[in-house]
């Protein structure tokens, strides 16, 4: 049997068996759950090679499953993050209800994402896309009635995307008489101009919903923050990347074939940058860590969308690199929030404080991913950001780069809010009992932290597969003129050598650490956070010295005009308008026979008046 | 091996140079401010005395690991920036790591320290520190915009992101960028006001309001490290501006004259200005400075 089919069978059988196993016993369910995901991962990496193809015919439709370098690359995100999140969720979901339901949908989520990556035809792509939407919707509404609205919003937007995509697929079939992606690419240049414009727009609407592109992102903050955190890391880290994957395909295969002056690239790039800027501002305003991370995901996806849309070699390289990095650090951060939620019972940044000494390993993981998120050298995030800036400048998007830069700098604000809110600040008695999270939760986070560090010094490890994938998509080889193992180049030939820089940073750091600790760190005594200088007064035990509320109020005041309204408001406006319209239309049915008679006569009169126009 | 020793020596010499010059400037600034306010003021070497005193103190307490690491973080930034920024034109000795990074890298490495120090300040639990940090980060978002615009304008105009190349271009043309791209210089200069944190942008330390903000829980060696780090950083930033806009310097004397002239701008502007509120400071940078930044980009694109 074909190895690709075996993977799908493992997932499907595993999902069902896990569901049944969970009914029998907790341990059986969890171990089947892990076994399924690890078996599929092992099967995928050991037995499946790029170029493997499985084709079959369904009701006369040629269908094809296969793997290309670019989908192999995205499978790293799905299976890597998926397996770690699975390990994490065993402890994170302990003692929760309806675990079978959760595990089932978790496996189905990974299954559908792998399906999307392996589909070489549009019909199976669409089917897997719908399975992905359904399974994630199931998990969004995991907590029941309280999240009904969030779930409906998510589903509504997914449906809009799905219909757009379905329409595109139908148009494609009517034109090409085949659903294979390669046939589409081959014959796209012979389409009429109208189709050439509409097809990418329809497809991008579908992908844009999942990637959370403005103005289609409104579902994201709610859905990311209301799913169980074990799934949110996969949701924001991997599931949204399926939108990016679709966009990469559309931009590299279809949009290259339409004239530049139509500005589709520019429009999407600007939407991406606006998503980044506005998402960041809203992230700063959040007090709940889950919401903060959710908005931050929207913002980070904005950079990626911009990179993909600009679509030069370097921009694409940067975007895909950032996509993988985002999966790593945002996956970790959602796990961190999950760990804190489990240990303290809340994720409100204004309540939890001073956990650094209680949860040191979680703090290290959070710190590393925050540094990567902020794009500060020497961690991986910097590499992606640097390449994105250089790409935007080299491709003459000057205002765009300023906007992205603004988003990135403003990103520091919520980064600090996250770290300070949870880990630093006053240590309160209320949280004195908190212990470090269980090892199975901490280890996945730490693995990702180490990866972030490695990729910051040797980005070539990841840029190599991206390069191969991009060559498949028709780009020239980027190795040598944009990067070598640990050196990055820009368009002008200037370089950054990451390795010596890392060594220098570590050397200087150690030097001053030794310099500081020459008189022995042990010799100094730890004093509590109540023992601080406050104008000579000694703060009492129960005096509240926490600085938590209105954390960035002055900044938010400065950007107030931009944040007056959420996009939600406009949607609500449209919704209310529609409702009013329907109410009006309803009045047509008065229930009075005389009125209906008038309608009939008026209709006839109109017909007679327009007779020559309509039937002539 | 010999080259490694040579470069380490180069780093140490530039470090000592930056420390001495930076400290002297800080001392002079106190003197100048005092004279403007009709006081006598401390001698210009007062900062060296303070530094020595702080260093010789032994520290008794700490607030945890992040607090302990904070000063080391900020020192890394200062030294790294100093190493990326060329000190003199065509000097073999002060090469350091000039060829290992570019302008955008510099921009990012400059934010490494403040964030590290912010973490250190956060762990102390002093509310003043945290307030200072939030103000500092907000202000950073403000002045980065015109500053980035200026840097982008430079990159567009001169097709390079390397500081050394920009210095060579000025040397070849015989004309400072300050004059050949005036808008870029104005935008960068206005951004510098925020970078140096003198009045009206001294909202981070905010004497008499926040009790020196993020620094407030640090004493002894911690404070010494922060103090010397900020001197080194000030020197590095001034040298960067001289390199980018004033044609660099051929010898140390010229460098000192140019940096001192540049240093007077934020200092003298500060002595006659009261403090802004945070949102005013942030918005200030998004007004005229960003407008000039935009002009600089347009100028670079079209001329």
């Amino acid at each position: 049997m074909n190895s690709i089919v075996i993977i799908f069978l493992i997932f499907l059988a595993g999902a069902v068996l896990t569901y049944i196993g969970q009914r029998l016993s907790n341990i059986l369910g969890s171990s089947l759950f892990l076994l399924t995901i690890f078996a599929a991962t092992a099967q995928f990496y050991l037995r499946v090679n790029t170029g493997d193809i499985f084709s079959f015919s369904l009701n006369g439709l040629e269908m094809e499953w296969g793997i290309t370098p670019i989908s192999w690359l995205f499978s790293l995100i799905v299976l890597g993050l998926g397996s770690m999140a699975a390990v994490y969720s065993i402890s994170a979901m302990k003692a929760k209800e309806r675990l079978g339901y959760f595990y089932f949908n978790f496996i189905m989520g990974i299954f559908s994402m792998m399906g999307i990556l392996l589909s070489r035809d549009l019909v199976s792509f669409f089917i897997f896309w719908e399975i992905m939407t359904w399974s994630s919707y199931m998990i969004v509404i995991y907590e029941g009635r309280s999240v009904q609205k969030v779930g409906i919003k998510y589903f509504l937007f997914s449906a809009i995307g799905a219909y757009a995509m379905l329409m595109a697929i139908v148009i494609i079939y009517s034109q090409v008489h085949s659903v294979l992606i390669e046939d589409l690419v081959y014959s796209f240049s012979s389409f009429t101009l109208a189709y050439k414009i509409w097809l990418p727009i329809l497809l991008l609407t579908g992908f844009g919903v999942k990637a959370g592109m403005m103005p289609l992102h409104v579902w994201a903050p709610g859905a990311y923050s209301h799913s169980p955190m074990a799934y949110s890391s996969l949701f924001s880290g991997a599931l949204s990347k399926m939108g990016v994957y679709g966009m990469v395909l559309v931009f590299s295969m279809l949009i290259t074939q339409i004239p530049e002056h139509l500005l589709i690239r520019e429009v999407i790039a600007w939407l991406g940058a606006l998503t980044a800027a506005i998402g960041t501002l809203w992230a700063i305003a959040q007090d709940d860590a889950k919401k903060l991370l959710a908005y931050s995901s929207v913002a980070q996806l904005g950079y990626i969308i911009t990179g993909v849309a600009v679509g030069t070699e370097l921009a694409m390289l940067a975007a895909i690199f950032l996509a993988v990095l985002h999966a790593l650090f945002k996956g970790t951060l959602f796990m961190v929030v999950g760990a804190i939620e489990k240990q303290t019972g809340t994720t409100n940044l204004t309540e939890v404080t001073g956990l650094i000494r209680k949860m040191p390993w979680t703090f290290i993981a959070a710190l590393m991913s925050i540094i990567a998120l902020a794009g500060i050298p020497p961690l991986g995030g910097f590499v992606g950001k640097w390449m994105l800036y250089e790409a935007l400048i080299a491709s003459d998007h000057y205002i765009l780069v300023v906007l992205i830069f603004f988003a990135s700098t403003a990103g520091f604000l919520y980064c600090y809010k996250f770290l300070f809110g949870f880990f630093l600040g006053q240590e309160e008695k209320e949280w004195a009992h908190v212990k470090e999270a269980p090892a199975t939760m901490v280890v996945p986070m730490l693995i990702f932290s180490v990866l972030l560090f490695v990729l910051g010094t040797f980005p070539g490890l990841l840029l190599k597969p991206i390069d191969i994938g991009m060559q498949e998509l028709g780009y020239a080889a980027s190795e040598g003129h944009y990067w070598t193992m640990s050196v990055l180049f820009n368009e002008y030939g200037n370089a950054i050598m990451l390795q010596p820089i890392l060594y220098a940073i570590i050397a200087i750091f150690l030097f001053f650490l030794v310099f500081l600790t020459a008189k022995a760190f042990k010799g100094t005594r730890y004093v509590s956070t109540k023992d601080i200088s406050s104008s000579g007064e000694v703060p009492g035990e129960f005096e509240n010295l926490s600085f938590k509320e209105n954390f960035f109020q002055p900044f938010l005041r400065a950007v107030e005009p931009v944040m007056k309204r959420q996009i939600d408001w406009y949607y609500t406006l449209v919704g209310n308008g529609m409702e009013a319209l329907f109410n009006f239309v309803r009045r047509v049915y008065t229930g009075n026979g005389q009125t209906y008679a008038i309608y009939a006569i008026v209709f006839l009169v109109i017909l007679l008046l327009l007779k020559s126009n309509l039937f002539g | 091996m010999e080259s490694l020793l040579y470069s380490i020596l180069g780093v140490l010499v530039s470090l000592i140079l930056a420390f001495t010059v930076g400290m002297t400037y800080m001392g002079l600034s106190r003197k100048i401010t005092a004279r403007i306010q009709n006081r006598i003021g401390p001698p210009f070497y007062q900062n060296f005395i303070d530094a020595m005193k702080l260093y010789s103190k032994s520290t008794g307490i700490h607030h945890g690991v992040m607090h302990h690491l904070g000063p080391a973080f900020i020192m890394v930034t200062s030294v790294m920036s100093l190493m990326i920024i060329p000190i003199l034109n065509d000097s073999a000795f002060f090469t350091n790591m000039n060829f290992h990074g570019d302008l955008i890298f510099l921009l990012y490495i400059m934010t490494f320290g403040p964030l590290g120090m912010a973490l250190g300040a956060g762990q102390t639990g002093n509310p003043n520190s945290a307030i200072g940090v939030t103000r500092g980060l907000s202000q950073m978002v403000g002045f980065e915009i015109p500053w980035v615009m200026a840097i982008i304008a430079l990159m567009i105009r001169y097709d390079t992101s390397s500081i050394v190349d920009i210095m060579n271009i000025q040397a070849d043309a015989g004309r400072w960028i300050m004059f050949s791209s005036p808008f870029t210089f104005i935008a960068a200069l206005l951004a510098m006001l925020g970078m140096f944190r003198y009045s009206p942008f001294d909202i981070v330390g905010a004497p008499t309001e926040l009790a020196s903000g993020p620094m407030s829980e640090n004493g002894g060696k911690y404070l010494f490290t922060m103090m010397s780090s900020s001197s080194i950083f000030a020197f590095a930033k001034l040298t960067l501006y001289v390199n980018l806009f004033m044609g660099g310097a051929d010898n140390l004397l010229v460098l000192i004259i140019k940096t001192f002239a540049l240093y007077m701008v934020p200092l003298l502007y500060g002595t006659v200005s009261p403090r802004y509120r945070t949102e005013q400071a942030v918005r200030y940078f998004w007004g005229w400075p960003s407008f000039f930044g935009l002009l600089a980009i347009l100028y670079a694109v079209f001329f």
Side-chain angles (χ1 to χ4, degrees):
Chain A
M1 208 194 289
N2 191 289
S3 51
I4 293 174
V5 182
I6 294 179
I7 291 188
F8 288 162
L9 285 181
I10 292 176
F11 274 125
L12 281 175
V16 175
L17 283 179
T18 310
Y19 187 75
I20 298 169
Q22 185 64 36
R23 294 255 145 160
L24 299 176
S25 95
N26 234 331
I27 297 170
L28 184 65
S30 323
S31 39
L32 275 173
F33 170 60
L34 281 186
L35 187 70
T36 310
I37 287 170
F38 278 99
T41 308
Q43 164 76 8
F44 184 78
Y45 287 112
L46 299 178
R47 304 279 297 280
V48 181
N49 304 314
T50 47
D52 281 4
I53 281 200
F54 176 74
S55 35
F56 58 100
S57 162
L58 193 77
N59 217 355
L61 275 181
E62 272 302 310
M63 314 256 270
E64 202 173 282
W65 294 338
I67 183 158
T68 60
I70 194 78
S71 56
W72 188 85
L73 183 76
F74 276 85
S75 80
L76 286 178
I77 301 181
V78 173
L79 290 177
L81 185 58
S83 49
M84 285 299 131
V87 172
Y88 173 88
S89 59
I90 295 292
S91 303
M93 299 299 289
K94 207 175 191 174
K96 290 249 173 111
E97 286 175 357
R98 283 177 293 133
L99 273 182
Y101 173 87
F102 176 80
Y103 288 155
F104 179 82
N105 285 310
F106 195 107
I107 296 177
M108 289 307 277
I110 296 180
F111 161 65
S112 57
M113 284 188 259
M114 286 312 291
I116 289 168
L117 294 174
L118 292 173
S119 309
R120 311 300 319 140
D121 67 281
L122 293 165
V123 169
S124 41
F125 191 97
F126 182 74
I127 292 171
F128 284 122
W129 192 269
E130 283 303 284
I131 298 177
M132 177 172 87
T133 303
W134 270 101
S135 62
S136 52
Y137 169 72
M138 291 297 191
I139 293 195
V140 171
I141 56 163
Y142 175 78
E143 277 169 24
R145 282 193 165 272
S146 57
V147 288
Q148 218 172 23
K149 268 203 158 162
V150 175
I152 288 173
K153 210 192 220 175
Y154 172 52
F155 204 81
L156 183 68
F157 276 89
S158 296
I160 292 172
Y163 289 138
M165 207 194 289
L166 193 61
M167 211 188 294
I169 293 173
V170 171
I171 293 174
I172 289 167
Y173 186 72
S174 73
Q175 296 284 313
V176 194
H177 300 294
S178 155
V179 288
L180 294 185
I181 292 177
E182 50 186 316
D183 288 347
L184 165 66
V185 175
Y186 183 70
S187 52
F188 188 70
S189 55
S190 62
F191 282 23
T192 59
L193 188 65
Y195 280 141
K196 272 189 181 171
I197 297 170
W198 278 107
L199 272 183
I201 290 181
L202 286 174
L203 287 172
L204 286 177
T205 312
F207 298 136
V209 169
K210 275 287 176 312
M213 180 176 70
M214 226 173 70
L216 303 169
H217 70 279
V218 290
W219 59 272
Y224 289 158
S225 58
H226 284 95
S227 337
M229 285 297 111
Y231 190 74
S232 277
S233 66
L234 193 69
F235 204 163
S236 147
L239 210 135
S240 61
K241 299 302 175 308
M242 292 301 113
V244 174
Y245 171 71
M247 285 189 164
V248 169
L249 294 187
V250 170
F251 273 100
S252 61
M253 289 172 164
L254 303 186
I255 295 199
T256 44
Q257 298 189 30
I258 63 175
E260 273 290 320
H261 66 83
L262 292 175
L263 295 180
I264 290 187
R265 281 184 187 283
E266 302 303 309
V267 170
I268 303 286
W270 270 93
L271 282 179
L274 284 175
T275 313
I278 295 180
T280 304
L281 291 182
W282 280 103
I284 296 169
Q286 303 306 316
D287 273 339
D288 183 33
K290 294 173 173 181
K291 275 264 163 65
L292 187 149
L293 288 184
Y295 273 106
S296 143
S297 295
V298 172
Q300 297 285 326
L301 262 293
Y303 303 132
I304 300 171
I305 291 171
T306 305
V308 172
V310 166
T312 61
E313 241 170 294
L314 189 57
M316 195 61 109
L317 198 66
I320 301 179
F321 189 84
L322 274 176
V324 179
L325 259 282
H326 180 253
L328 285 177
F329 60 67
K330 201 47 72 64
T332 315
L333 284 176
F334 273 113
M335 289 181 189
V336 166
V337 174
I340 288 169
E341 188 181 23
K342 190 173 169 58
Q343 303 303 96
T344 65
T346 171
T347 57
N348 196 332
L349 290 166
T350 57
E351 287 175 23
V352 187
T353 101
L355 293 183
I356 178 171
R357 282 152 52 77
K358 284 136 204 158
M359 305 176 76
W361 294 107
T362 314
F363 172 73
I364 290 173
L367 179 64
M368 296 295 260
S369 13
I370 284 284
I371 292 178
L373 192 157
I376 293 172
L379 261 64
F382 168 73
V383 175
K385 289 238 171 101
W386 186 85
M387 289 195 296
L388 186 62
Y389 294 140
E390 300 288 357
L392 289 178
I393 294 172
S395 60
D396 299 345
H397 293 89
Y398 306 123
I399 306 300
L400 212 55
V401 78
V402 175
L403 198 59
I404 296 263
F405 216 102
F406 165 75
S408 169
T409 316
F412 295 154
L413 268 63
Y414 68 73
C415 287
Y416 185 67
K417 187 174 188 172
F418 183 87
L419 280 181
F420 181 84
F422 276 151
F423 296 103
L424 306 173
Q426 286 287 328
E427 294 185 27
E428 302 282 348
K429 272 251 166 73
E430 195 183 349
W431 309 112
H433 65 280
V434 177
K435 294 268 177 330
E436 180 60 282
T440 43
M441 290 169 85
V442 173
V443 170
M445 301 187 229
L446 289 178
I447 290 176
F448 284 156
S449 310
V450 172
L451 270 178
L452 286 171
F453 196 80
V454 171
L455 287 179
T457 325
F458 300 105
L461 293 176
L462 182 58
L463 289 170
K464 179 106 195 148
I466 297 179
D467 188 38
I468 295 171
M470 279 173 51
Q471 287 179 36
E472 170 83 12
L473 293 176
Y475 287 92
S478 56
E479 184 172 13
H481 71 281
Y482 285 131
W483 59 274
T484 54
M485 198 49 172
S486 96
V487 187
L488 301 174
F489 303 96
N490 65 8
E491 198 92 335
Y492 315 124
N494 307 127
I496 289 189
M497 293 164 209
L498 296 161
Q499 217 179 332
I501 281 171
L502 176 77
Y503 295 154
I505 288 178
I506 291 177
I508 300 166
F509 191 71
L510 288 180
F511 177 76
F512 281 98
L513 214 54
V514 171
F515 175 76
L516 271 183
T517 46
K519 286 260 158 74
F521 180 59
K522 290 245 157 70
T524 54
R525 176 173 57 91
Y526 173 77
V527 292
S528 81
T529 46
K530 285 278 190 244
D531 195 351
I532 53 176
S533 76
S534 54
S535 317
E537 287 178 26
V538 181
E541 181 134 342
F542 294 102
E543 214 160 308
N544 188 357
L545 288 174
S546 292
F547 171 48
K548 289 283 185 180
E549 303 285 342
N550 295 331
F551 203 62
F552 280 114
Q553 194 193 32
F555 180 79
L556 291 173
R557 263 192 222 137
V559 294
E560 205 177 9
V562 191
M563 300 178 64
K564 240 180 208 152
R565 289 205 177 114
Q566 274 180 297
I567 290 181
D568 268 348
W569 189 84
Y570 296 98
Y571 281 117
T572 319
L573 199 69
V574 173
N576 290 344
M578 288 302 220
E579 214 164 288
L581 182 71
F582 298 149
N583 258 332
F584 177 75
V585 171
R586 199 167 51 92
R587 279 197 216 145
V588 169
Y589 302 101
T590 52
N592 186 342
Q594 300 295 335
T595 326
Y596 292 152
I598 287 183
Y599 290 157
I601 291 169
V602 167
F603 182 65
L604 276 178
V605 168
I606 291 174
L607 273 188
L608 282 175
L609 284 177
L610 298 177
K611 186 179 65 177
S612 53
N613 293 354
L614 290 172
F615 308 109
Chain B
M1 195 61 211
E2 197 173 319
S3 69
L4 184 70
L5 283 176
Y6 197 66
S7 53
I8 289 178
L9 190 68
V11 171
L12 285 179
V13 172
S14 15
L15 206 60
I16 293 167
L17 174 77
F19 176 76
T20 323
V21 176
M23 278 290 190
T24 316
Y25 283 5
M26 296 280 168
L28 281 173
S29 82
R30 288 167 78 170
K31 188 82 185 169
I32 291 168
T33 319
R35 294 310 299 155
I36 289 172
Q37 293 167 351
N38 214 0
R39 293 183 282 120
I40 293 176
F44 77 91
Y45 51 84
Q46 181 64 42
N47 270 28
F48 288 99
I49 302 174
D50 290 353
M52 281 309 117
K53 182 197 79 177
L54 287 173
Y55 181 66
S56 56
K57 279 191 170 181
S58 62
T59 309
I61 57 168
H62 68 91
H63 278 284
V65 178
M66 270 332 278
H67 173 226
H68 185 72
L69 296 184
F73 270 120
I74 193 158
M75 201 66 189
V76 168
T77 300
S78 305
V79 181
M80 276 308 287
S81 324
L82 188 69
M83 284 167 73
I84 301 290
I85 298 168
I87 292 178
L88 294 179
N89 285 350
D90 300 323
S91 155
F93 192 66
F94 288 119
T95 323
N96 297 342
M97 293 178 68
N98 301 345
F99 300 101
H100 293 264
D102 75 341
L103 275 172
I104 290 184
F105 173 77
L106 189 66
L107 222 59
Y108 264 88
I109 197 78
M110 277 173 157
T111 59
F112 178 80
L115 219 59
M117 170 154 155
L119 295 177
Q123 207 191 5
T124 61
N126 193 323
N128 284 337
S129 307
I131 294 173
V133 168
T134 60
R135 288 175 171 202
L137 290 175
S138 308
Q139 178 163 309
M140 192 163 82
V141 181
F143 72 73
E144 288 277 283
I145 300 300
W147 175 219
V148 163
M149 284 176 159
I151 282 184
I152 289 171
L154 283 182
M155 285 174 69
I156 299 168
R157 182 119 199 241
Y158 300 101
D159 277 342
T160 178
S161 64
S162 143
I163 308 165
V164 182
D165 284 354
I166 289 180
M167 290 162 78
N168 290 339
I169 286 166
Q170 296 179 72
D172 292 343
R175 203 165 168 217
W176 295 353
I177 288 179
M178 187 173 151
F179 300 118
S180 55
S181 315
F183 296 126
T184 317
F185 179 65
I186 294 173
L189 194 68
L190 291 176
M192 190 170 99
L193 296 178
M195 234 179 265
F196 273 87
R197 289 184 187 162
Y198 281 113
S199 274
F201 303 106
D202 58 344
I203 54 174
V204 179
T208 70
E209 186 186 344
L210 284 187
S212 76
M215 313 255 255
S216 55
E217 282 303 309
N218 294 287
K221 286 198 178 59
Y222 297 123
L223 192 55
F224 166 75
T225 316
M226 284 182 178
M227 199 173 155
S228 42
S229 154
S230 67
S231 319
I232 294 172
F233 201 36
F235 177 76
K237 281 185 285 194
L238 289 169
T239 314
L240 174 69
Y241 270 79
V242 168
N243 288 343
L244 289 183
F245 299 107
M246 299 166 80
D250 291 323
N251 57 51
L252 286 179
L253 188 67
V254 176
L255 180 73
I256 285 170
I257 292 171
K258 282 181 179 173
T259 48
F260 191 71
L262 207 52
Y263 183 62
M264 284 298 106
V265 176
L267 180 66
L268 294 183
Y269 187 70
T271 48
V272 292
S273 315
R275 187 182 307 144
Y276 273 150
R277 287 204 310 269
T278 312
E279 62 265 32
Q280 289 171 326
V282 173
R283 281 197 172 170
Y284 171 86
F285 292 110
W286 294 343
W288 286 107
S290 297
F291 174 72
F292 281 112
L294 204 62
L295 276 187
I297 290 181
L298 290 178
Y299 188 78
V301 172
F302 291 112
F303 294 100

